Amino acid sequence: MTQESILSVRDLHVEFETNDGMVHAVRGIDLDVKPGETVAIVGESGSGKSQTTMALMGLLASNGRARGSATYRGQELIGLSERKLNRIRGEKITMIFQEPMTSLDPLYRIGRQIAEPLVHHRGMSRKAARERVIELLELVGIPDPARRVDAYPHELSGGQRQRVMIAMALANDPDMLIADEPTTALDVTIQAQILALLAELQRKLGMAIVFITHDLGIVRRFADRVYVMRHGEVVEEGETSALFAAPGHPYTKMLLAAEPTGRKAQPPREAPILLEGRDVEVVFGGGGGWFSGPEAEIRAVDRISVALHKGQTIGVVGESGSGKSTLGRALLRLLPSEGTVRFEGADISAADKRAMRPMRKELQLVFQDPFGSLSPRMTIGQVVTEGLKVHEPQLPARERDRRAIEALEEVGLDPAMRNRYPHEFSGGQRQRIAIARAMILKPKVVVLDEPTSALDRSVQKQIVDLLRDLQKAHDLSYLFISHDLAVVRAMADHIVVMKQGRIVEEGPTDAIFDHPREAYTQALMAAAIDGTPFRQQTGAFAAGLID
């Protein structure tokens, strides 16, 4: 007897009213989820994956509307009142969002935010909820949870914030979990831990999981069934093993074949050093307040030295919280630090905001969370040209617009969309907008902080090719921060491996990948290529890897 679906979607449409007319994000899809199974929805950025689940949860933007049917255990969700939806959201159906920094309130400690659904749905006391929150933080691998429970979102790394979102979603032991790119910000070892943890919790709780991702490697290991979406439509569906073994649709075949390829050549030996850090140190207070003692300090970057040559790409890899992003910001003088930082031979260690301003055009940063760095009140045309107004104020509006068109085309976006706002784009499209904003200024050094983390494999390949073409044409230098080792290998000619604020190993890319010396580096490489399905891994694996 066929098991009845707990979620049944029929002829779902999602549309958005925009300045350029009606945009049809989802076009009449059908979808079923049965109790205890994992269903993956895959496809390129803008295919309608996230908007499908946002419609189910009643979370579409104000200019969006959904029609069709979506029933959860027989109850229609489309058109359901906010009051009735709130009885389901956060308890029966929960969601892990793609961009944690925009989902967490920056003004509240993470413990309070995770406790909110426990207090609201279960009527827990604040004390009992706090104890449960500490358990959840330990479960998802947050170090020292009893102390971190009082941290603010900005005091955590991108990966740690994502784990906070997972803890919040699991707080009430939901019947169904919607995971929208839940491992996007995580390095490969933590990714393996989190997915094994979700599989273990699924076995214990019997919950169903709807898993939205661009990473087909994860889908192969994690999902029971797959829906492949393109341009708002489902083009293929089926059991995971069957679909991967014999994909029927050309689009599915293209997704399975997409992988960043090629190798970055070393720059000439005589290439000058553009950006250099010597004994760079960054220490945070650890959230303990003004009167915290030395024991509350967090040494995010611990006496690191690095030299970036003209035309070089240094890949910085390591687990979440290892100090990768902090190092990049310290070298750009966006964070106070100790040690020496030089740009084109000039010591900028003590340069204040005013002294750094003329150099900002040459030193650009692409942020990890694109939605958090794009103003929701500006069109993407305005976002991309914002830097030109600061650094080239003499440019007439027509020339700025021409440069915006050129920059958007370079990153694979239709310039006709430049009058739209950030919320009208997918996560991957927003990342490309952020890259265009940096590249329009033709910088010398770009720190790329997880620039492909929100992108599907086919678009990752395009962005890698684009970044390499731009680097070759303009002798750009990149500090490429990423947890995606396949992308790092295709982009970088030199690798720096970080752990707990220190460099544990560095060297030419092929040497690090093919012959890693340190046990930590070997573990990173093993996690990236391990093909064991998470469903076959034991509970001990899920719990034991999280230290």
mmCIF file of all heavy atoms in Angstrom, residues 379-418:
data_model
loop_
_atom_site.group_PDB
_atom_site.id
_atom_site.type_symbol
_atom_site.label_atom_id
_atom_site.label_comp_id
_atom_site.label_asym_id
_atom_site.label_seq_id
_atom_site.Cartn_x
_atom_site.Cartn_y
_atom_site.Cartn_z
ATOM 1 N N THR A 379 17.777 49.947 -6.315
ATOM 2 C CA THR A 379 17.747 49.002 -7.416
ATOM 3 C C THR A 379 19.150 48.433 -7.605
ATOM 4 O O THR A 379 20.135 49.017 -7.145
ATOM 5 C CB THR A 379 17.299 49.677 -8.721
ATOM 6 O OG1 THR A 379 18.291 50.634 -9.117
ATOM 7 C CG2 THR A 379 15.949 50.362 -8.549
ATOM 8 N N ILE A 380 19.244 47.315 -8.321
ATOM 9 C CA ILE A 380 20.584 46.744 -8.476
ATOM 10 C C ILE A 380 21.466 47.635 -9.351
ATOM 11 O O ILE A 380 22.681 47.626 -9.214
ATOM 12 C CB ILE A 380 20.542 45.301 -9.011
ATOM 13 C CG1 ILE A 380 20.027 45.236 -10.439
ATOM 14 C CG2 ILE A 380 19.757 44.411 -8.085
ATOM 15 C CD1 ILE A 380 20.354 43.925 -11.112
ATOM 16 N N GLY A 381 20.851 48.414 -10.233
ATOM 17 C CA GLY A 381 21.633 49.383 -11.002
ATOM 18 C C GLY A 381 22.278 50.406 -10.091
ATOM 19 O O GLY A 381 23.449 50.775 -10.263
ATOM 20 N N GLN A 382 21.527 50.860 -9.090
ATOM 21 C CA GLN A 382 22.057 51.822 -8.126
ATOM 22 C C GLN A 382 23.101 51.169 -7.219
ATOM 23 O O GLN A 382 24.112 51.789 -6.871
ATOM 24 C CB GLN A 382 20.903 52.386 -7.285
ATOM 25 C CG GLN A 382 19.945 53.259 -8.084
ATOM 26 C CD GLN A 382 18.684 53.592 -7.285
ATOM 27 O OE1 GLN A 382 18.225 52.818 -6.455
ATOM 28 N NE2 GLN A 382 18.120 54.769 -7.560
ATOM 29 N N VAL A 383 22.855 49.906 -6.843
ATOM 30 C CA VAL A 383 23.804 49.190 -5.995
ATOM 31 C C VAL A 383 25.154 49.046 -6.683
ATOM 32 O O VAL A 383 26.215 49.327 -6.105
ATOM 33 C CB VAL A 383 23.240 47.784 -5.630
ATOM 34 C CG1 VAL A 383 24.340 46.906 -5.050
ATOM 35 C CG2 VAL A 383 22.098 47.904 -4.641
ATOM 36 N N VAL A 384 25.125 48.630 -7.940
ATOM 37 C CA VAL A 384 26.351 48.362 -8.674
ATOM 38 C C VAL A 384 27.158 49.639 -8.920
ATOM 39 O O VAL A 384 28.391 49.624 -8.912
ATOM 40 C CB VAL A 384 26.030 47.643 -10.007
ATOM 41 C CG1 VAL A 384 27.246 47.579 -10.918
ATOM 42 C CG2 VAL A 384 25.521 46.231 -9.727
ATOM 43 N N THR A 385 26.473 50.755 -9.117
ATOM 44 C CA THR A 385 27.175 52.011 -9.434
ATOM 45 C C THR A 385 27.450 52.872 -8.208
ATOM 46 O O THR A 385 28.019 53.958 -8.339
ATOM 47 C CB THR A 385 26.362 52.840 -10.445
ATOM 48 O OG1 THR A 385 25.059 53.118 -9.907
ATOM 49 C CG2 THR A 385 26.216 52.106 -11.767
ATOM 50 N N GLU A 386 27.100 52.387 -7.020
ATOM 51 C CA GLU A 386 27.293 53.183 -5.803
ATOM 52 C C GLU A 386 28.758 53.564 -5.611
ATOM 53 O O GLU A 386 29.086 54.701 -5.256
ATOM 54 C CB GLU A 386 26.775 52.405 -4.594
ATOM 55 C CG GLU A 386 26.757 53.205 -3.305
ATOM 56 C CD GLU A 386 26.191 52.404 -2.147
ATOM 57 O OE1 GLU A 386 26.102 51.159 -2.261
ATOM 58 O OE2 GLU A 386 25.842 53.019 -1.129
ATOM 59 N N GLY A 387 29.667 52.617 -5.850
ATOM 60 C CA GLY A 387 31.094 52.900 -5.692
ATOM 61 C C GLY A 387 31.610 53.928 -6.676
ATOM 62 O O GLY A 387 32.514 54.716 -6.366
ATOM 63 N N LEU A 388 31.031 53.949 -7.889
ATOM 64 C CA LEU A 388 31.456 54.932 -8.887
ATOM 65 C C LEU A 388 31.136 56.347 -8.422
ATOM 66 O O LEU A 388 31.897 57.285 -8.684
ATOM 67 C CB LEU A 388 30.759 54.657 -10.228
ATOM 68 C CG LEU A 388 31.182 53.387 -10.976
ATOM 69 C CD1 LEU A 388 30.342 53.212 -12.228
ATOM 70 C CD2 LEU A 388 32.669 53.422 -11.320
ATOM 71 N N LYS A 389 30.016 56.517 -7.739
ATOM 72 C CA LYS A 389 29.644 57.850 -7.243
ATOM 73 C C LYS A 389 30.650 58.356 -6.212
ATOM 74 O O LYS A 389 30.900 59.559 -6.116
ATOM 75 C CB LYS A 389 28.244 57.809 -6.631
ATOM 76 C CG LYS A 389 27.127 57.684 -7.657
ATOM 77 C CD LYS A 389 25.767 57.805 -6.978
ATOM 78 C CE LYS A 389 24.634 57.809 -7.999
ATOM 79 N NZ LYS A 389 23.314 57.964 -7.364
ATOM 80 N N VAL A 390 31.234 57.414 -5.461
ATOM 81 C CA VAL A 390 32.205 57.793 -4.430
ATOM 82 C C VAL A 390 33.585 58.041 -5.042
ATOM 83 O O VAL A 390 34.235 59.055 -4.759
ATOM 84 C CB VAL A 390 32.288 56.701 -3.339
ATOM 85 C CG1 VAL A 390 33.388 57.032 -2.336
ATOM 86 C CG2 VAL A 390 30.948 56.554 -2.630
ATOM 87 N N HIS A 391 34.032 57.121 -5.872
ATOM 88 C CA HIS A 391 35.416 57.151 -6.362
ATOM 89 C C HIS A 391 35.581 57.847 -7.712
ATOM 90 O O HIS A 391 36.690 58.257 -8.048
ATOM 91 C CB HIS A 391 35.957 55.725 -6.429
ATOM 92 C CG HIS A 391 36.059 55.046 -5.105
ATOM 93 N ND1 HIS A 391 37.019 55.382 -4.175
ATOM 94 C CD2 HIS A 391 35.298 54.071 -4.529
ATOM 95 C CE1 HIS A 391 36.861 54.630 -3.094
ATOM 96 N NE2 HIS A 391 35.833 53.824 -3.288
ATOM 97 N N GLU A 392 34.522 57.949 -8.481
ATOM 98 C CA GLU A 392 34.583 58.653 -9.766
ATOM 99 C C GLU A 392 33.372 59.571 -9.888
ATOM 100 O O GLU A 392 32.527 59.413 -10.777
ATOM 101 C CB GLU A 392 34.647 57.652 -10.923
ATOM 102 C CG GLU A 392 35.854 56.724 -10.879
ATOM 103 C CD GLU A 392 35.912 55.778 -12.071
ATOM 104 O OE1 GLU A 392 35.647 56.255 -13.203
ATOM 105 O OE2 GLU A 392 36.201 54.586 -11.881
ATOM 106 N N PRO A 393 33.259 60.554 -9.002
ATOM 107 C CA PRO A 393 32.051 61.397 -8.961
ATOM 108 C C PRO A 393 31.840 62.234 -10.217
ATOM 109 O O PRO A 393 30.733 62.716 -10.454
ATOM 110 C CB PRO A 393 32.301 62.292 -7.734
ATOM 111 C CG PRO A 393 33.785 62.291 -7.558
ATOM 112 C CD PRO A 393 34.244 60.935 -7.981
ATOM 113 N N GLN A 394 32.899 62.397 -11.020
ATOM 114 C CA GLN A 394 32.779 63.220 -12.215
ATOM 115 C C GLN A 394 32.045 62.507 -13.352
ATOM 116 O O GLN A 394 31.643 63.149 -14.336
ATOM 117 C CB GLN A 394 34.179 63.650 -12.705
ATOM 118 C CG GLN A 394 34.986 62.566 -13.424
ATOM 119 C CD GLN A 394 35.600 61.529 -12.474
ATOM 120 O OE1 GLN A 394 35.455 61.642 -11.251
ATOM 121 N NE2 GLN A 394 36.287 60.533 -13.027
ATOM 122 N N LEU A 395 31.841 61.191 -13.239
ATOM 123 C CA LEU A 395 31.180 60.449 -14.309
ATOM 124 C C LEU A 395 29.726 60.886 -14.476
ATOM 125 O O LEU A 395 28.975 60.947 -13.494
ATOM 126 C CB LEU A 395 31.204 58.948 -14.007
ATOM 127 C CG LEU A 395 32.491 58.164 -14.246
ATOM 128 C CD1 LEU A 395 32.264 56.697 -13.906
ATOM 129 C CD2 LEU A 395 32.970 58.301 -15.671
ATOM 130 N N PRO A 396 29.288 61.168 -15.696
ATOM 131 C CA PRO A 396 27.874 61.504 -15.913
ATOM 132 C C PRO A 396 27.003 60.263 -15.733
ATOM 133 O O PRO A 396 27.486 59.128 -15.818
ATOM 134 C CB PRO A 396 27.847 61.993 -17.361
ATOM 135 C CG PRO A 396 29.047 61.397 -18.001
ATOM 136 C CD PRO A 396 30.083 61.275 -16.927
ATOM 137 N N ALA A 397 25.717 60.477 -15.494
ATOM 138 C CA ALA A 397 24.787 59.384 -15.223
ATOM 139 C C ALA A 397 24.758 58.372 -16.367
ATOM 140 O O ALA A 397 24.675 57.155 -16.134
ATOM 141 C CB ALA A 397 23.389 59.939 -14.970
ATOM 142 N N ARG A 398 24.860 58.875 -17.617
ATOM 143 C CA ARG A 398 24.805 57.970 -18.760
ATOM 144 C C ARG A 398 26.001 57.018 -18.764
ATOM 145 O O ARG A 398 25.857 55.827 -19.065
ATOM 146 C CB ARG A 398 24.770 58.779 -20.062
ATOM 147 C CG ARG A 398 24.712 57.899 -21.313
ATOM 148 C CD ARG A 398 24.590 58.735 -22.570
ATOM 149 N NE ARG A 398 23.334 59.482 -22.587
ATOM 150 C CZ ARG A 398 22.977 60.294 -23.586
ATOM 151 N NH1 ARG A 398 23.790 60.499 -24.616
ATOM 152 N NH2 ARG A 398 21.813 60.929 -23.545
ATOM 153 N N GLU A 399 27.191 57.518 -18.397
ATOM 154 C CA GLU A 399 28.377 56.675 -18.372
ATOM 155 C C GLU A 399 28.304 55.665 -17.223
ATOM 156 O O GLU A 399 28.723 54.514 -17.364
ATOM 157 C CB GLU A 399 29.636 57.532 -18.234
ATOM 158 C CG GLU A 399 30.954 56.754 -18.114
ATOM 159 C CD GLU A 399 31.255 55.868 -19.300
ATOM 160 O OE1 GLU A 399 30.626 56.052 -20.369
ATOM 161 O OE2 GLU A 399 32.122 54.981 -19.169
ATOM 162 N N ARG A 400 27.760 56.098 -16.073
ATOM 163 C CA ARG A 400 27.584 55.168 -14.957
ATOM 164 C C ARG A 400 26.655 54.026 -15.373
ATOM 165 O O ARG A 400 26.909 52.859 -15.067
ATOM 166 C CB ARG A 400 27.016 55.877 -13.731
ATOM 167 C CG ARG A 400 28.013 56.705 -12.954
ATOM 168 C CD ARG A 400 27.536 56.967 -11.541
ATOM 169 N NE ARG A 400 26.208 57.566 -11.500
ATOM 170 C CZ ARG A 400 25.969 58.873 -11.546
ATOM 171 N NH1 ARG A 400 26.994 59.724 -11.621
ATOM 172 N NH2 ARG A 400 24.740 59.350 -11.502
ATOM 173 N N ASP A 401 25.590 54.372 -16.064
ATOM 174 C CA ASP A 401 24.638 53.352 -16.501
ATOM 175 C C ASP A 401 25.290 52.393 -17.501
ATOM 176 O O ASP A 401 25.071 51.182 -17.447
ATOM 177 C CB ASP A 401 23.411 54.021 -17.136
ATOM 178 C CG ASP A 401 22.262 53.035 -17.367
ATOM 179 O OD1 ASP A 401 21.894 52.335 -16.403
ATOM 180 O OD2 ASP A 401 21.767 52.966 -18.503
ATOM 181 N N ARG A 402 26.130 52.928 -18.382
ATOM 182 C CA ARG A 402 26.821 52.082 -19.347
ATOM 183 C C ARG A 402 27.754 51.105 -18.629
ATOM 184 O O ARG A 402 27.835 49.919 -18.969
ATOM 185 C CB ARG A 402 27.622 52.936 -20.340
ATOM 186 C CG ARG A 402 28.257 52.121 -21.486
ATOM 187 C CD ARG A 402 29.303 52.910 -22.212
ATOM 188 N NE ARG A 402 30.496 53.167 -21.388
ATOM 189 C CZ ARG A 402 31.439 52.259 -21.154
ATOM 190 N NH1 ARG A 402 31.329 51.032 -21.659
ATOM 191 N NH2 ARG A 402 32.484 52.561 -20.408
ATOM 192 N N ARG A 403 28.459 51.612 -17.609
ATOM 193 C CA ARG A 403 29.380 50.758 -16.850
ATOM 194 C C ARG A 403 28.589 49.690 -16.076
ATOM 195 O O ARG A 403 29.059 48.550 -15.910
ATOM 196 C CB ARG A 403 30.213 51.614 -15.883
ATOM 197 C CG ARG A 403 31.152 52.606 -16.557
ATOM 198 C CD ARG A 403 32.540 52.024 -16.755
ATOM 199 N NE ARG A 403 33.228 51.823 -15.502
ATOM 200 C CZ ARG A 403 34.009 52.726 -14.901
ATOM 201 N NH1 ARG A 403 34.179 53.929 -15.454
ATOM 202 N NH2 ARG A 403 34.635 52.435 -13.782
ATOM 203 N N ALA A 404 27.395 50.058 -15.585
ATOM 204 C CA ALA A 404 26.562 49.086 -14.877
ATOM 205 C C ALA A 404 26.121 47.963 -15.816
ATOM 206 O O ALA A 404 26.152 46.779 -15.454
ATOM 207 C CB ALA A 404 25.341 49.767 -14.267
ATOM 208 N N ILE A 405 25.713 48.331 -17.018
ATOM 209 C CA ILE A 405 25.311 47.332 -18.017
ATOM 210 C C ILE A 405 26.467 46.375 -18.301
ATOM 211 O O ILE A 405 26.297 45.151 -18.335
ATOM 212 C CB ILE A 405 24.844 48.034 -19.318
ATOM 213 C CG1 ILE A 405 23.517 48.773 -19.075
ATOM 214 C CG2 ILE A 405 24.696 47.031 -20.459
ATOM 215 C CD1 ILE A 405 23.086 49.649 -20.231
ATOM 216 N N GLU A 406 27.644 46.936 -18.477
ATOM 217 C CA GLU A 406 28.834 46.141 -18.768
ATOM 218 C C GLU A 406 29.160 45.188 -17.620
ATOM 219 O O GLU A 406 29.461 44.010 -17.827
ATOM 220 C CB GLU A 406 30.009 47.081 -19.014
ATOM 221 C CG GLU A 406 31.289 46.408 -19.435
ATOM 222 C CD GLU A 406 32.405 47.427 -19.628
ATOM 223 O OE1 GLU A 406 33.014 47.844 -18.623
ATOM 224 O OE2 GLU A 406 32.656 47.829 -20.779
ATOM 225 N N ALA A 407 29.079 45.695 -16.380
ATOM 226 C CA ALA A 407 29.406 44.879 -15.201
ATOM 227 C C ALA A 407 28.395 43.753 -15.013
ATOM 228 O O ALA A 407 28.768 42.615 -14.685
ATOM 229 C CB ALA A 407 29.461 45.755 -13.951
ATOM 230 N N LEU A 408 27.119 44.043 -15.216
ATOM 231 C CA LEU A 408 26.096 43.013 -15.053
ATOM 232 C C LEU A 408 26.225 41.934 -16.126
ATOM 233 O O LEU A 408 26.038 40.745 -15.844
ATOM 234 C CB LEU A 408 24.701 43.649 -15.087
ATOM 235 C CG LEU A 408 24.355 44.537 -13.887
ATOM 236 C CD1 LEU A 408 23.054 45.276 -14.114
ATOM 237 C CD2 LEU A 408 24.272 43.704 -12.602
ATOM 238 N N GLU A 409 26.547 42.340 -17.332
ATOM 239 C CA GLU A 409 26.753 41.362 -18.405
ATOM 240 C C GLU A 409 27.947 40.463 -18.094
ATOM 241 O O GLU A 409 27.926 39.258 -18.368
ATOM 242 C CB GLU A 409 26.958 42.074 -19.742
ATOM 243 C CG GLU A 409 25.677 42.667 -20.324
ATOM 244 C CD GLU A 409 25.917 43.432 -21.613
ATOM 245 O OE1 GLU A 409 27.076 43.866 -21.835
ATOM 246 O OE2 GLU A 409 24.958 43.609 -22.389
ATOM 247 N N GLU A 410 28.997 41.044 -17.507
ATOM 248 C CA GLU A 410 30.194 40.261 -17.177
ATOM 249 C C GLU A 410 29.906 39.143 -16.182
ATOM 250 O O GLU A 410 30.538 38.090 -16.232
ATOM 251 C CB GLU A 410 31.288 41.173 -16.607
ATOM 252 C CG GLU A 410 32.073 41.929 -17.655
ATOM 253 C CD GLU A 410 33.267 42.638 -17.056
ATOM 254 O OE1 GLU A 410 33.168 43.085 -15.890
ATOM 255 O OE2 GLU A 410 34.291 42.743 -17.737
ATOM 256 N N VAL A 411 28.963 39.381 -15.277
ATOM 257 C CA VAL A 411 28.656 38.357 -14.278
ATOM 258 C C VAL A 411 27.434 37.522 -14.665
ATOM 259 O O VAL A 411 26.905 36.765 -13.859
ATOM 260 C CB VAL A 411 28.446 38.984 -12.872
ATOM 261 C CG1 VAL A 411 29.705 39.656 -12.404
ATOM 262 C CG2 VAL A 411 27.258 39.944 -12.853
ATOM 263 N N GLY A 412 26.994 37.652 -15.906
ATOM 264 C CA GLY A 412 25.941 36.773 -16.415
ATOM 265 C C GLY A 412 24.533 37.164 -16.047
ATOM 266 O O GLY A 412 23.638 36.313 -16.013
ATOM 267 N N LEU A 413 24.304 38.451 -15.764
ATOM 268 C CA LEU A 413 22.948 38.929 -15.468
ATOM 269 C C LEU A 413 22.438 39.792 -16.613
ATOM 270 O O LEU A 413 23.203 40.529 -17.240
ATOM 271 C CB LEU A 413 22.938 39.740 -14.166
ATOM 272 C CG LEU A 413 23.122 38.962 -12.874
ATOM 273 C CD1 LEU A 413 23.236 39.921 -11.698
ATOM 274 C CD2 LEU A 413 21.966 37.992 -12.641
ATOM 275 N N ASP A 414 21.152 39.722 -16.853
ATOM 276 C CA ASP A 414 20.534 40.531 -17.897
ATOM 277 C C ASP A 414 20.482 41.986 -17.419
ATOM 278 O O ASP A 414 19.817 42.284 -16.425
ATOM 279 C CB ASP A 414 19.117 40.014 -18.174
ATOM 280 C CG ASP A 414 18.428 40.771 -19.301
ATOM 281 O OD1 ASP A 414 19.005 41.762 -19.814
ATOM 282 O OD2 ASP A 414 17.299 40.385 -19.662
ATOM 283 N N PRO A 415 21.177 42.913 -18.084
ATOM 284 C CA PRO A 415 21.167 44.308 -17.631
ATOM 285 C C PRO A 415 19.781 44.953 -17.674
ATOM 286 O O PRO A 415 19.556 45.977 -17.026
ATOM 287 C CB PRO A 415 22.134 45.010 -18.598
ATOM 288 C CG PRO A 415 22.257 44.112 -19.775
ATOM 289 C CD PRO A 415 22.045 42.724 -19.269
ATOM 290 N N ALA A 416 18.864 44.351 -18.397
ATOM 291 C CA ALA A 416 17.496 44.874 -18.418
ATOM 292 C C ALA A 416 16.841 44.758 -17.044
ATOM 293 O O ALA A 416 15.832 45.425 -16.774
ATOM 294 C CB ALA A 416 16.665 44.133 -19.466
ATOM 295 N N MET A 417 17.423 43.940 -16.158
ATOM 296 C CA MET A 417 16.857 43.750 -14.817
ATOM 297 C C MET A 417 17.406 44.750 -13.811
ATOM 298 O O MET A 417 17.142 44.629 -12.621
ATOM 299 C CB MET A 417 17.138 42.332 -14.329
ATOM 300 C CG MET A 417 16.532 41.238 -15.191
ATOM 301 S SD MET A 417 16.625 39.585 -14.436
ATOM 302 C CE MET A 417 18.386 39.328 -14.372
ATOM 303 N N ARG A 418 18.168 45.755 -14.265
ATOM 304 C CA ARG A 418 18.846 46.644 -13.318
ATOM 305 C C ARG A 418 17.901 47.581 -12.572
ATOM 306 O O ARG A 418 18.325 48.248 -11.626
ATOM 307 C CB ARG A 418 19.940 47.446 -14.017
ATOM 308 C CG ARG A 418 19.496 48.406 -15.107
ATOM 309 C CD ARG A 418 20.719 48.941 -15.848
ATOM 310 N NE ARG A 418 20.405 49.940 -16.863
ATOM 311 C CZ ARG A 418 19.940 49.672 -18.078
ATOM 312 N NH1 ARG A 418 19.743 48.413 -18.434
ATOM 313 N NH2 ARG A 418 19.687 50.644 -18.939
#
